[in-house]
C-alpha cells in the first residue's frame, strides 16, 4: 500500500484544545479524496490505494455492513476518527457483485500514475487518481458479475406531447445491443416488462405522472431518477451524433422527439457511468413494424414465462424449454419468449429452421456438438470495446468463430437449407468472411490456448508470433545460462578459477573473488575491465560494464516482455473493434442456429409438434399439454392427461368463449394456462406439446389466474383481481386470447356472481375474443344457452369409497357439483370440521333460504361420528342409519338426547 494517510493521527498523550484551535485543514490526501467523492455523493467510492480499494466515512460503514468486512479507522478529520474499510484489488469483482446485488452503486477510482511518476513532481506529491467507471446494476460487463444465459437491459422511458406519446430506449452494455421504440402510453409498462430489466431510468420531473409512476412501480429492477435536462430531444440528438460520429442522425433512423428524449436519457447515463469514455454501443435498432405479442406484467407473472412464482428461473416456461448450448442462444430464446412475434412470415421462418433440424437427427447432434465449444462472442467483443477485456476474450472470439465455422460446414454439406439456416451458415463460413478469417487465424497463432484473464498478467502471447518478444523472453528466461557463460569466460581470461558472478539486492549482479586475488583484478590490465565495488574480510567484489549492461537488460526484460505483450493485445483488440459489425452478425447467427437446434431437441424430448399458424382468430388443439406441469410430473414418474380445445373468435366453427367448471384441484387452471402458453410458444417460433395444433395469430394474451394482495400500494386481493380484470375488458380486441379464473371470488357470493356474469357477457359481446373462463358459479353455465358464441366444458372427477378421484379430463357440458367438502377433506381439515361442513351443505342444498339462519344452527351433538358417512350422499335412510350407529348414548345429556330425537324425526320426515 502507498505511504499515504487519510489524516494525521493524534500523538499519544497529546491534549487537543478544540475550543481554542480551529479544525486543521485536510491533508492533501484527504483533500483529494473529498474532491473526488463530491462528484459521486450517491455512490460508494472504491478508492484505489496500492493493492486495495479503500472506503472511508459513511461509505466504509455501509460497505462493512453489506460485505461483512472489518470496519476500522485511520487518522482523523475535523477532530474525529475516519472510518475505513477495504477490499483486495485482485478480489474486487466478488465484492462488487455483492454490493450491486444489494442495490448499491459503486464509483471505481483508480491511480492514474505510479508512485515513481508522482515523486517526479515532488517528494511529498500524492498519486493522481480519478474515477474511471461507475458500476450500477444495468452497466455490468464483467463475466464474473453477469449470469451468462440471462440478458441485461438498461432501459430509459420518456413521455412527450403532453403525455400523448411515450418511448422506450434499451441497451445491453454487456453485448452492445441498442434498441429504441415509440409505444402507446398505456402500453408503456407492457413494453418495458418484455425486457430483462437490470436498471430503469426515468426523469425526476416525470415522477408524478401516473404512466411513469406505474411503470416504475411494476419494474422488477431498481429505478434511477435522472435530471430532466438529460431527457430532451436535443440531448438525444447531440449524444447520437457524438457516439456514432455523424453530422446528422438521419442515417441512424427516423426518430421522433419522444424517442430522442428516451435515447438522450439512456446515453447520458451510459456516458456518466463510463466516466466520460466513448459510448460503445451498436447503432440503435428499430422494432419490427409488425410489432410483438403484447403481454402485460400480471400475465407474465401468472403464466411464469421466465420466472416462477417464487422468483427463480427453475419452474418457469423458459427453464422448461431451454435446450440451448450457447450463452447468446439462451439469451435469444429468452427474448423470443418474452416478445413473441406478430409477423407470420417471421414465425414460419423460425419454425422452418427448427423443423429441418427435427427431420435430421444426425445434423442436429453434430451442429449442437460444435456449438457447445463456442464461447460467448457477444460479451467478449463488448468487453474488449470498453477496454475491460483481456486475452481470454480474444481467444473466446477466435474459438467461437472456429466452432461456428465447423457447424456451418455441417449445414452446407447437408444440401438445401431453410432460409434462416442458409443465412446463418453463410455468415459463419469463414471462407466467405474476408475480414473474420484472418482475424481468427491471427488470434489463434498469437494467443495461447489457456490465456490469463488480464493482459497485465502477461504470458499469453504464443512463441513465434513476435520476434522482439521472443528475444526479450529468451534473455529473461536464459539469464542464468548467460551469467554462467560470462562467469566461465571471466575465470578463464583472468586465470582465477574461484571467480563467481553473484547477485544481491544492494549491488545487483557483481563479480566475487577471494581476497587473495583482489590485487590481480585491481591492477593492470584487468583494472580497466573490473571496477572495484566492495571489500569484505575474505572477499572482494567488482563489477564490469558488460555485467552492468547485462544486469540492466535482465531487469528490464520482464517489464519489456509485459509491455510488448500488452502492445500486441491492444493491436488485436483494435482489429476486433474494426470487425465489430461482422462479429455482431456472427454472434446473431450463432444464437439463431442454436435456438433452432434447441427447439428441435426439446420438441423430440417433449413430443411437441409444429403449430399451424393462421391469420384467422382460431385455436384448435388435440392432445394439448402444459409443458411445465408435464415436465414436473415426468420427474416423479407420472403422466400428464392431455386435452382438446377448440375456439373461434368468429363463433363459426367453434365457440369463442368456453365456460370451464369442475372441482378445485381438478386441473381447471392448468387447462387455461396451457392454452395461453401454446399461443406464446407458437408465436415465439417454437413447437407446442400437443398431437396437432392450429393457432390464429393473437395480438395480446391476457391471464388473470390467481391473485394476491398488493399491500405496498394499498390493494386487497379482490382489488388486484378487479384491476387486472378491468385491464382485460378494456384492452382485449377480437384478436386477443384471454384466460380468466374465478373472477369475483373475493367478495360476497351475489356481488361476485354479478361481476363474473357481466365479465362473461362483456368478453363475449364487446371484446369478441377467444376466451376461457373458469368459475365455481354454476349459475353462469346457463349463459351458454343465452350467448351464441359460448359453450360449457368441465373437468371430470369421480367419488370412490368416500374419496374424490380427479380424472383431469375435459368433457363437454357443465360440472354437476364443486366437490368442495371432499377437497377440504383431501386438504387435511379436521374430521369434525369436514363432518360439520357436509351437514351444513346438505341443509343449504335442501333449503337455500336457510343460509340466513346459519348462525342459529345448533352445534353437532357430542358423540356424532366425525367421519362423513361413506353413504352420505346415497340417501336419507343410509344417512339415518349411519348417524344412529355413531351415537354413544352414555355420552348424551337428557337435553342432548331430546334434541337428537327431534333431529332424527326431522330426517325421517325429509325422507
Amino acid at each position: 500500500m502507498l505511504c499515504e494517510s487519510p489524516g494525521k493521527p493524534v500523538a499519544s498523550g497529546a491534549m487537543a484544545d478544540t475550543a481554542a484551535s480551529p479544525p486543521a485543514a485536510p491533508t492533501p490526501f484527504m483533500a483529494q479524496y473529498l474532491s473526488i467523492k463530491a462528484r459521486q455523493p450517491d455512490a460508494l467510492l472504491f478508492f484505489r490505494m496500492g493493492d486495495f480499494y479503500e472506503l472511508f466515512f459513511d461509505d466504509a460503514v455501509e460497505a462493512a455492513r453489506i460485505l461483512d468486512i472489518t470496519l476500522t479507522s485511520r487518522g482523523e478529520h475535523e477532530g474525529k476518527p475516519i472510518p475505513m474499510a477495504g477490499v483486495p484489488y485482485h478480489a474486487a469483482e466478488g465484492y462488487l457483485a455483492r454490493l450491486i446485488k444489494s442495490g448499491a452503486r459503486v464509483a471505481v477510482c483508480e491511480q492514474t500514475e505510479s508512485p515513481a511518476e508522482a515523486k517526479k513532481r515532488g517528494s511529498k506529491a500524492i498519486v493522481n487518481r480519478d474515477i474511471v467507471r461507475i458500476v450500477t446494476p444495468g452497466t455490468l460487463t464483467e463475466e464474473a458479475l453477469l449470469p451468462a444465459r440471462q440478458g441485461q437491459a438498461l432501459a430509459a422511458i420518456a413521455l412527450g406531447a403532453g403525455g400523448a406519446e411515450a418511448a422506450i430506449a434499451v441497451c445491453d452494455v454487456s453485448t452492445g445491443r441498442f434498441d429504441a421504440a415509440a409505444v402507446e402510453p398505456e402500453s408503456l409498462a407492457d413494453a418495458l416488462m418484455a425486457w430483462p430489466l437490470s436498471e430503469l431510468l426515468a426523469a425526476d420531473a416525470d415522477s408524478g405522472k401516473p404512466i411513469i409512476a406505474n411503470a416504475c412501480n411494476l419494474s422488477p429492477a431498481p429505478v434511477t431518477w435522472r435530471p430532466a435536462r438529460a431527457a430532451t430531444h436535443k440531448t438525444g440528438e447531440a449524444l447520437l451524433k457524438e457516439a456514432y460520429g455523424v453530422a446528422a442522425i438521419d442515417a441512424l433512423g427516423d426518430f421522433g422527439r419522444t424517442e430522442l428524449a428516451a435515447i438522450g436519457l439512456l446515453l447520458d447515463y451510459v456516458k456518466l457511468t463510463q466516466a466520460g469514455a466513448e459510448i460503445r454501443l451498436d447503432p440503435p435498432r428499430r422494432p419490427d413494424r409488425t410489432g410483438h405479442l403484447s403481454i402485460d406484467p400480471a400475465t407474465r407473472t401468472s403464466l411464469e414465462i421466465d420466472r416462477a412464482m417464487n422468483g427463480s428461473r427453475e419452474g418457469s416456461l423458459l427453464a422448461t424449454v431451454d435446450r440451448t448450448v450457447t450463452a447468446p442462444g439462451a439469451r435469444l430464446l429468452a427474448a423470443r419468449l418474452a416478445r413473441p412475434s406478430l409477423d407470420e412470415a417471421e414465425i414460419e421462418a423460425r419454425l422452418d429452421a427448427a423443423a429441418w433440424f427435427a427431420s435430421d437427427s444426425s445434423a442436429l447432434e453434430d451442429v449442437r456438438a460444435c456449438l457447445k465449444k463456442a464461447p460467448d462472442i457477444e460479451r467478449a467483443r463488448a468487453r474488449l470495446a470498453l477496454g475491460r477485456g483481456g486475452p481470454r476474450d480474444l481467444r473466446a472470439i477466435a474459438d467461437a468463430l472456429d466452432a461456428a465455422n465447423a457447424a456451418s460446414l455441417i449445414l452446407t454439406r447437408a444440401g438445401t437449407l431453410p432460409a434462416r439456416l442458409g443465412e446463418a451458415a453463410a455468415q459463419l463460413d469463414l471462407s466467405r468472411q474476408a475480414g473474420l478469417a484472418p482475424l481468427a487465424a491471427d488470434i489463434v497463432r498469437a494467443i495461447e490456448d489457456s490465456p490469463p484473464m488480464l493482459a497485465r498478467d502477461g504470458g499469453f502471447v504464443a512463441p513465434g508470433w513476435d520476434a522482439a518478444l521472443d528475444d526479450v523472453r529468451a534473455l529473461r528466461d536464459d539469464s542464468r545460462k548467460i551469467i554462467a557463460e560470462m562467469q566461465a569466460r571471466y575465470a578463464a581470461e583472468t586465470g582465477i578459477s574461484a571467480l563467481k558472478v553473484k547477485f544481491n539486492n544492494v549491488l545487483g549482479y557483481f563479480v566475487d573473488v577471494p581476497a587473495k586475488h583482489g590485487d590481480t583484478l585491481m591492477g593492470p590490465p584487468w583494472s580497466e575491465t573490473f571496477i572495484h565495488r566492495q571489500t569484505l574480510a575474505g572477499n572482494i567484489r567488482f563489477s564490469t560494464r558488460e555485467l552492468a549492461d547485462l544486469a540492466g537488460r535482465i531487469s528490464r526484460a520482464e517489464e519489456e516482455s509485459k509491455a510488448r505483450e500488452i502492445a500486441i493485445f491492444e493491436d488485436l483488440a483494435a482489429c476486433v473493434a474494426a470487425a465489430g459489425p461482422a462479429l455482431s452478425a456472427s454472434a446473431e447467427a450463432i444464437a439463431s442456429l442454436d435456438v433452432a437446434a434447441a427447439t428441435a431437441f426439446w420438441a423430440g424430448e417433449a413430443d411437441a409438434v409444429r403449430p399451424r399458424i393462421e391469420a384467422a382468430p382460431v385455436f384448435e388443439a388435440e392432445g394439448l399439454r402444459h409443458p411445465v406441469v408435464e415436465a414436473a410430473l415426468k420427474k416423479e414418474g407420472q403422466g400428464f392427461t392431455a386435452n382438446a380445445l377448440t375456439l373461434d373468435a368468429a363463433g363459426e366453427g367453434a365457440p369463442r368463449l368456453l365456460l370451464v367448471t369442475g372441482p378445485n384441484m381438478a386441473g381447471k387452471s392448468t387447462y387455461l394456462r396451457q392454452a395461453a402458453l401454446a399461443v406464446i410458444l407458437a408465436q415465439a417460433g417454437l413447437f407446442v406439446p400437443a398431437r396437432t395444433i392450429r393457432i390464429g395469430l393473437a395480438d395480446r394474451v391476457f391471464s388473470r389466474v390467481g391473485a394476491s394482495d398488493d399491500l405496498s400500494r394499498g390493494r386487497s386481493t379482490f382489488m388486484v383481481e378487479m384491476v387486472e380484470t378491468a385491464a382485460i375488458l378494456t384492452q382485449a380486441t377480437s384478436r386477443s386470447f384471454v384466460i380468466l379464473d374465478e373472477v369475483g371470488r373475493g367478495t360476497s357470493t351475489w356481488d361476485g356472481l354479478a361481476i363474473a356474469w357481466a365479465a362473461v357477457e362483456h368478453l363475449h359481446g364487446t371484446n369478441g375474443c377467444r376466451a376461457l373462463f373458469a368459475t365455481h358459479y354454476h349459475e353462469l353455465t346457463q349463459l351458454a344457452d343465452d350467448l351464441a358464441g359460448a359453450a360449457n366444458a368441465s373437468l371430470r372427477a369421480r367419488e370412490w369409497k368416500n374419496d374424490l378421484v380427479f380424472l383431469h379430463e375435459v368433457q363437454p357440458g357443465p360440472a354437476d357439483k364443486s366437490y368442495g367438502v371432499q377437497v377440504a377433506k383431501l386438504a387435511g381439515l379436521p374430521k369434525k370440521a369436514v363432518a360439520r361442513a357436509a351437514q351444513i351443505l346438505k341443509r343449504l342444498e335442501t333449503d337455500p333460504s336457510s343460509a340466513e339462519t346459519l348462525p342459529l344452527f345448533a352445534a353437532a351433538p357430542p358423540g356424532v361420528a366425525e367421519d362423513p358417512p361413506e353413504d352420505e350422499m346415497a340417501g336419507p335412510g343410509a344417512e339415518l342409519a349411519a348417524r344412529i350407529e355413531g351415537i354413544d348414548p352414555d355420552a348424551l345429556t337428557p337435553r342432548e338426547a331430546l334434541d337428537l330425537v327431534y333431529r332424527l324425526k326431522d330426517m325421517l320426515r325429509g325422507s
Side-chain angles (χ1 to χ4, degrees):
M1 186 177 293
L2 299 177
C3 296
E4 298 174 315
S5 175
K8 184 177 180 180
V10 177
S12 176
M15 298 290 289
D17 187 357
T18 56
S21 304
T27 64
F29 172 87
M30 185 50 58
Q32 181 191 57
Y33 171 84
L34 294 173
S35 173
I36 294 173
K37 174 62 182 175
R39 289 156 47 191
Q40 290 297 329
D42 298 328
L44 300 178
L45 183 61
F46 264 33
F47 199 74
R48 181 72 179 275
M49 295 180 67
D51 292 333
F52 282 80
Y53 285 118
E54 302 289 3
L55 301 99
F56 300 102
F57 299 104
D58 291 343
D59 287 0
V61 176
E62 182 69 3
R65 180 187 65 81
I66 296 171
L67 301 175
D68 194 24
I69 58 177
T70 301
L71 178 67
T72 183
S73 63
R74 179 175 177 179
E76 291 187 351
H77 179 65
E78 296 182 348
K80 297 179 180 179
I82 300 172
M84 183 177 80
V87 300
Y89 167 73
H90 66 274
E93 282 190 355
Y95 292 104
L96 271 176
R98 290 166 62 187
L99 289 171
I100 297 303
K101 189 175 182 180
S102 74
R105 300 166 69 243
V106 180
V108 180
C109 179
E110 294 285 1
Q111 295 170 182
T112 57
E113 63 179 353
S114 68
E117 291 171 327
K119 285 184 179 180
K120 294 177 182 178
R121 294 186 282 106
S123 60
K124 295 184 178 180
I126 61 174
V127 175
N128 283 330
R129 296 177 174 85
D130 201 0
I131 293 174
V132 298
R133 179 186 174 199
I134 300 169
V135 186
T136 74
T139 59
L140 299 174
T141 57
E142 287 79 2
E143 187 175 5
L145 304 185
L146 287 171
R149 302 177 67 81
Q150 180 179 321
Q152 175 191 244
L154 171 66
I157 52 178
L159 290 179
E165 296 177 357
I168 178 173
V170 184
C171 74
D172 186 337
V173 178
S174 71
T175 64
R177 176 159 181 153
F178 181 14
D179 293 82
V183 298
E184 294 297 325
E186 60 271 16
S187 300
L188 180 61
D190 296 0
L192 191 61
M193 298 308 134
W195 296 89
L197 288 183
S198 295
E199 188 173 5
L200 176 61
L201 308 175
D204 50 17
D206 290 340
S207 61
K209 297 177 180 178
I211 290 175
I212 296 293
N214 180 57
C216 292
N217 286 333
L218 291 172
S219 171
V223 179
T224 300
W225 297 97
R226 300 290 298 148
R229 58 169 174 75
T232 67
H233 71 281
K234 291 183 179 180
T235 301
E237 184 173 349
L239 288 174
L240 281 175
K241 291 178 180 178
E242 177 185 327
Y244 301 102
V246 296
I249 63 172
D250 297 353
L252 299 174
D254 182 18
F255 298 105
R257 291 167 67 95
T258 308
E259 288 175 288
L260 287 172
I263 289 171
L265 189 59
L266 182 75
L267 295 184
D268 175 76
Y269 189 69
V270 171
K271 186 175 180 180
L272 171 72
T273 58
Q274 306 312 311
E278 290 185 27
I279 295 172
R280 300 286 187 176
L281 295 174
D282 295 336
R285 304 186 186 195
R286 307 303 299 279
D288 186 341
R289 290 183 178 181
T290 58
H292 298 105
L293 176 67
S294 181
I295 308 173
D296 64 30
T299 299
R300 289 185 186 280
T301 301
S302 170
L303 295 180
E304 302 178 288
I305 297 173
D306 58 0
R307 284 287 180 273
M309 289 294 184
N310 61 9
S312 70
R313 188 177 187 272
E314 189 65 28
S316 67
L317 175 65
L318 174 60
T320 300
V321 305
D322 186 1
R323 297 296 182 273
T324 56
V325 294
T326 70
R331 295 193 293 268
L332 178 61
L333 175 63
R336 287 184 177 179
L337 280 175
R339 300 185 298 280
S341 180
L342 291 179
D343 185 342
E344 185 176 348
E346 169 66 20
I347 296 170
E348 292 291 1
R350 296 175 185 178
L351 293 172
D352 286 344
W356 186 89
F357 274 121
S359 67
D360 192 334
S361 60
S362 177
L364 173 63
E365 292 178 6
D366 292 345
V367 167
R368 282 171 58 84
C370 291
L371 292 180
K372 282 180 181 178
K373 302 175 184 177
D376 193 341
I377 191 172
E378 281 185 312
R379 287 183 170 169
R381 179 182 75 95
R383 281 191 293 270
L384 290 167
L386 290 167
R388 300 174 196 158
R392 196 173 295 175
D393 291 312
L394 286 175
R395 189 70 200 208
I397 288 174
D399 290 346
L401 291 174
D402 183 62
N405 179 66
S408 75
L409 295 179
I410 294 171
L411 293 175
T412 302
R413 289 196 296 265
T416 304
L417 297 171
R420 287 299 167 82
L421 296 185
E423 293 165 3
Q427 175 62 40
L428 299 176
D429 185 351
L430 289 180
S431 66
R432 304 188 192 184
Q433 301 297 327
L436 295 183
L439 174 63
D442 284 350
I443 292 175
V444 169
R445 287 178 50 224
I447 306 298
E448 294 278 9
D449 291 343
S450 300
M453 183 176 295
L454 303 175
R456 68 166 184 263
D457 293 337
F460 57 85
V461 175
W465 173 254
D466 184 82
L469 176 61
D470 289 343
D471 291 341
V472 173
R473 283 178 170 173
L475 177 62
R476 180 198 64 191
D477 300 337
D478 297 340
S479 59
R480 289 185 179 180
K481 180 181 178 182
I482 295 171
I483 292 295
E485 291 175 351
M486 181 179 290
Q487 174 181 297
R489 177 162 52 84
Y490 282 166
E493 290 175 352
T494 61
I496 304 172
S497 60
L499 181 147
K500 304 293 183 186
V501 176
K502 298 182 178 181
F503 176 87
N504 66 29
N505 291 329
V506 176
L507 298 179
Y509 285 97
F510 57 88
V511 175
D512 182 272
V513 297
K516 66 181 181 178
H517 296 295
D519 291 342
T520 302
L521 296 185
M522 286 189 283
W526 300 116
S527 58
E528 295 182 4
T529 303
F530 294 91
I531 303 167
H532 179 255
R533 296 293 304 278
Q534 190 178 38
T535 299
L536 303 176
N539 301 77
I540 299 178
R541 294 170 174 176
F542 300 84
S543 67
T544 69
R545 291 184 179 85
E546 180 186 20
L547 182 58
D549 180 65
L550 177 61
R553 286 189 290 125
I554 290 173
S555 65
R556 292 191 301 269
E558 184 66 31
E559 294 179 4
E560 291 178 4
S561 173
K562 288 186 177 180
R564 184 59 191 152
E565 286 196 88
I566 289 174
I568 292 170
F569 168 77
E570 290 175 347
D571 288 343
L572 290 172
C575 293
V576 168
L583 288 172
S584 180
S586 293
E588 290 181 4
I590 290 172
S592 177
L593 195 59
D594 188 18
V595 171
T599 299
F601 190 84
W602 173 73
E605 284 185 346
D607 194 22
V609 298
R610 176 175 181 164
R612 286 173 51 197
I613 305 298
E614 299 185 5
V618 297
F619 187 105
E620 183 180 305
E622 292 292 334
L624 184 63
R625 308 185 306 280
H626 191 300
V628 181
V629 175
E630 182 179 35
L633 290 173
K634 276 185 178 179
K635 290 181 180 179
E636 298 174 359
Q638 301 180 40
F640 184 92
T641 303
N643 282 292
L645 174 63
T646 304
L647 297 172
D648 183 355
E652 297 174 355
R656 70 166 64 105
L657 186 146
L658 191 65
L659 289 161
V660 183
T661 51
N664 285 303
M665 299 292 294
K668 297 191 301 299
S669 295
T670 299
Y671 183 62
L672 268 60
R673 284 189 171 106
Q674 70 190 29
L677 291 178
V679 174
I680 291 171
L681 286 169
Q683 293 190 214
L686 304 178
F687 283 24
V688 179
R691 284 197 300 274
T692 63
I693 186 163
R694 181 169 68 103
I695 293 179
L697 288 176
D699 62 350
R700 306 188 67 136
V701 168
F702 291 100
S703 169
R704 208 230 64 76
V705 179
S708 60
D709 56 27
D710 187 354
L711 298 179
S712 64
R713 302 174 70 184
R715 292 178 174 177
S716 66
T717 302
F718 179 67
M719 185 61 174
V720 171
E721 176 186 311
M722 289 299 98
V723 168
E724 294 175 1
T725 304
I728 295 172
L729 298 183
T730 56
Q731 297 176 29
T733 71
S734 60
R735 294 180 57 205
S736 300
F737 194 94
V738 175
I739 61 172
L740 285 158
D741 187 16
E742 310 255 9
V743 170
R745 64 180 175 177
T747 185
S748 70
T749 301
W750 301 121
D751 280 354
L753 175 59
I755 292 169
W757 193 294
V760 170
E761 290 182 338
H762 197 283
L763 280 171
H764 179 273
T766 304
N767 301 110
C769 58
R770 291 162 287 179
L772 294 170
F773 195 104
T775 184
H776 282 289
Y777 293 127
H778 285 267
E779 295 84 350
L780 291 180
T781 58
Q782 70 186 64
L783 284 171
D785 299 326
D786 301 332
L787 304 176
N792 282 309
S794 57
L795 275 294
R796 293 182 60 201
R798 292 181 61 187
E799 291 180 271
W800 175 256
K801 294 185 177 180
N802 203 38
D803 285 328
L804 187 62
V805 180
F806 300 116
L807 302 179
H808 303 298
E809 295 175 359
V810 177
Q811 61 185 359
D816 56 350
K817 59 171 66 176
S818 289
Y819 299 98
V821 172
Q822 288 86 340
V823 173
K825 179 184 176 184
L826 290 175
L829 260 67
K831 294 180 179 180
K832 189 172 183 179
V834 174
R836 180 62 170 158
Q839 179 188 25
I840 295 172
L841 175 64
K842 187 165 186 65
R843 179 68 176 268
L844 291 173
E845 288 176 340
T846 304
D847 180 12
S849 64
S850 65
E852 299 177 4
T853 60
L854 270 178
L856 302 180
F857 280 7
V864 176
E866 294 184 351
D867 277 323
E870 290 190 5
D871 299 327
E872 181 155 331
M873 304 301 176
E879 181 181 357
L880 179 61
R883 288 290 176 90
I884 295 174
E885 181 67 22
I887 293 173
D888 180 4
D890 296 330
L892 298 178
T893 66
R895 178 57 185 267
E896 288 171 346
L898 183 61
D899 288 341
L900 178 61
V901 170
Y902 281 113
R903 290 180 181 281
L904 295 176
K905 189 174 181 180
D906 288 340
M907 291 177 66
L908 287 173
R909 287 175 178 171
S911 63

